[in-house]
Amino acid sequence: MSELVLINVSGRDKPGLTSEITGIMGQYHVRILDIGQAVIHDHLTWGILIEIPDESKSSPVIRDLLFRLHALDLQVRFAPITMEEYQQWAEGRNRACYIVTLLSRDIKAEQIARVSAITARHGLNIDNITRLSARPSLNQADNRLACVEFSVRGTPPDPEQLRADFLHIAGEMNVDIAFQEDSIFRRNRRLVVFDMDSTLIDAEVIDQLALEAGVGEQVAAITERAMQGELDFSQSFAERLALLRGLDESVLEGIAMRLNLTEGAEHLIRSLKSLGYRTAIVSGGFTYFARHLQRRLGIDYVYANELEIENGKVTGRVAGQIVDGNRKAQLLLEIAEREHISREQVIAVGDGANDLPMLSQAGLGVAFRAKPLVKESARHAISTLGLDAILYLIGFRENDGRQV
């Protein structure tokens, strides 16, 4: 019968090692059942599971490998594997695979310990751990962003409790943790739909308009309650808009020019466009400001509320249908259909309660620096990093950034 042997090699990495090792195996018609490699700080850890056919005895293969690896100053360990052990392991590889993404300003051991403890408690086994972000500089006290990705297998008995546990420790440690199925869609997204106010930009435009109209405190109070989900969006929007009646049209341009993009927004959009993604703003804000961002960032689609203006004055109304939560979800589906993609290939990003219907329709819905109600209701949340942290949720790596 054939023999199964697990070989583990470690030591300083050198060019051509894989070719040399497998070249020796090839002389004995060895079959490769599994292979994996990791290099950290030029130190190699290399594993390979082989099947040695009956006509090729294991001793000559192991002897030749041992001699060559010793000459290369590499450590090696051989472990025989039974057919039953292999079969049990192979069947386990067919279990569901998930990706756990840890996002932080700086990765600490405690963070990895807490995340891995939760995965183990929920019956998930870690297959791989990969750092997606750039290696930190020792001279830099505060790194801009850091990301470690865990590939895990298993079937969590209670996925909602798993997400709740991740959300709990994320709040405790000031990190973000995403948990998503490693499906064909994770690296095949095609469209990203953004809310505008407090998502792409760091302000609520209607509050800026209210300040110009002298009703800032009144409108800001209503805005806050609406974003918390305490008020119906359409009703609160109409109330706030009515308070702007008589505002001079000339103030709009000044506000548009003062709008600041959210941290990471420009990098994210630039990267998405280079990767062929389509982008959209679907906002409960105003078209005037969304068009300004469209020109600035190269956004493909814009849907927002048309601020009605007569004789150079804001009327306190909008022209056409109000873009509320349900309308946002509908527009997301319409854009996806126009682009001939499934909703699983859509990423949606927003911060308010009126974004939840849109987030629930997307394959990847992200609550960005959102209110507690929204964070708890959305499947994914980013609170500690900038908007470009979304790139890591789709498997974007440090080296990918050098090409965009």
Side-chain angles (χ1 to χ4, degrees):
M1 293 181 61
S2 60
E3 297 179 70
L4 306 184
V5 180
L6 175 63
I7 305 172
N8 293 110
V9 177
S10 63
R12 182 162 292 278
D13 190 26
K14 304 177 184 69
L17 284 180
T18 299
S19 176
E20 285 209 48
I21 296 171
T22 54
I24 294 172
M25 295 176 183
Q27 298 173 23
Y28 296 93
H29 309 292
V30 164
R31 180 185 179 195
I32 307 298
L33 300 177
D34 197 18
I35 186 169
Q37 171 181 308
V39 177
I40 298 178
H41 196 60
D42 293 332
H43 189 87
L44 168 75
T45 301
W46 194 82
I48 185 167
L49 180 60
I50 64 173
E51 180 184 24
I52 304 172
D54 184 43
E55 62 270 18
S56 300
K57 301 300 182 182
S58 62
S59 295
V61 182
I62 292 174
R63 178 199 63 209
D64 290 354
L65 286 171
L66 189 59
F67 177 81
R68 186 58 187 145
L69 290 168
H70 178 74
L72 292 169
D73 195 28
L74 295 170
Q75 290 74 52
V76 61
R77 177 177 177 270
F78 300 94
I81 304 295
T82 67
M83 296 294 182
E84 292 76 15
E85 288 172 332
Y86 174 77
Q87 192 62 35
Q88 183 178 11
W89 172 83
E91 290 174 357
R93 302 297 293 179
N94 293 326
R95 294 184 297 171
C97 185
Y98 298 90
I99 297 296
V100 180
T101 309
L102 170 63
L103 300 158
S104 177
R105 293 292 174 181
D106 197 15
I107 299 296
K108 302 292 179 61
E110 181 190 6
Q111 299 165 0
I112 293 179
R114 297 284 296 277
V115 169
S116 57
I118 288 177
T119 59
R121 189 162 68 244
H122 286 268
L124 300 172
N125 187 63
I126 298 174
D127 280 349
N128 296 293
I129 303 177
T130 306
R131 185 180 180 107
L132 300 184
S133 57
R135 273 59 180 177
S137 168
L138 296 179
N139 298 322
Q140 186 174 343
D142 183 31
N143 298 296
R144 193 174 67 86
L145 51 83
C147 174
V148 170
E149 178 183 277
F150 303 77
S151 176
V152 300
R153 286 188 186 274
T155 303
D158 189 346
E160 292 306 314
Q161 183 58 52
L162 173 62
R163 286 190 171 91
D165 289 348
F166 280 145
L167 186 62
H168 175 72
I169 67 167
E172 280 190 352
M173 297 188 298
N174 195 30
V175 300
D176 295 315
I177 304 170
F179 177 76
Q180 54 183 316
E181 186 176 358
D182 193 13
S183 69
I184 191 174
F185 296 110
R186 190 177 80 88
R187 290 177 176 267
N188 192 31
R189 313 291 186 190
R190 296 272 305 282
L191 167 68
V192 186
V193 177
F194 296 96
D195 174 47
M196 180 175 65
D197 296 45
S198 297
T199 300
L200 272 180
I201 57 175
D202 64 1
E204 294 288 328
V205 169
I206 197 167
D207 291 349
Q208 301 299 309
L209 292 169
L211 288 173
E212 296 287 345
V215 291
E217 291 186 4
Q218 295 168 260
V219 168
I222 300 173
T223 299
E224 179 64 20
R225 293 184 64 193
M227 297 304 289
Q228 294 280 5
E230 298 175 8
L231 296 176
D232 172 75
F233 176 81
S234 295
Q235 179 184 357
S236 68
F237 183 70
E239 290 179 10
R240 287 176 288 170
L241 197 56
L243 292 170
L244 301 180
R245 183 178 180 181
L247 180 65
D248 197 281
E249 179 185 11
S250 62
V251 305
L252 272 60
E253 182 179 0
I255 292 175
M257 297 305 294
R258 294 196 302 269
L259 293 178
N260 293 317
L261 294 174
T262 303
E263 177 192 358
E266 196 162 10
H267 176 231
L268 173 62
I269 299 295
R270 183 174 66 250
S271 300
L272 292 172
K273 289 175 67 65
S274 72
L275 295 170
Y277 279 67
R278 303 288 278 176
T279 55
I281 292 175
V282 176
S283 172
F286 302 110
T287 305
Y288 181 93
F289 303 97
R291 295 291 184 198
H292 172 78
L293 290 178
Q294 182 181 35
R295 292 188 293 271
R296 180 176 178 181
L297 297 172
I299 302 292
D300 297 299
Y301 296 96
V302 164
Y303 293 94
N305 296 300
E306 192 68 44
L307 191 62
E308 187 179 79
I309 297 176
E310 293 180 354
N311 301 318
K313 302 289 184 181
V314 173
T315 67
R317 300 184 299 271
V318 293
Q321 182 180 356
I322 291 178
V323 179
D324 60 7
N326 291 331
R327 179 62 177 153
K328 285 188 171 189
Q330 180 185 356
L331 287 167
L332 179 148
L333 296 175
E334 289 179 5
I335 298 170
E337 183 177 3
R338 188 177 306 174
E339 291 291 331
H340 306 291
I341 63 174
S342 68
R343 66 185 184 89
E344 286 83 3
Q345 293 176 281
V346 180
I347 301 172
V349 192
D351 70 298
N354 65 315
D355 293 311
L356 285 172
M358 177 175 76
L359 301 187
S360 68
Q361 289 295 330
L364 177 64
V366 181
F368 179 71
R369 297 183 180 177
K371 303 297 186 291
L373 170 67
V374 183
K375 287 179 62 174
E376 293 169 8
S377 302
R379 282 173 289 173
H380 308 283
I382 293 175
S383 299
T384 61
L385 300 184
L387 207 57
D388 50 352
I390 289 172
L391 292 169
Y392 292 126
L393 300 188
I394 59 175
F396 196 87
R397 295 170 181 262
E398 169 200 357
N399 289 339
D400 299 330
R402 297 173 182 169
Q403 303 170 24
V404 299

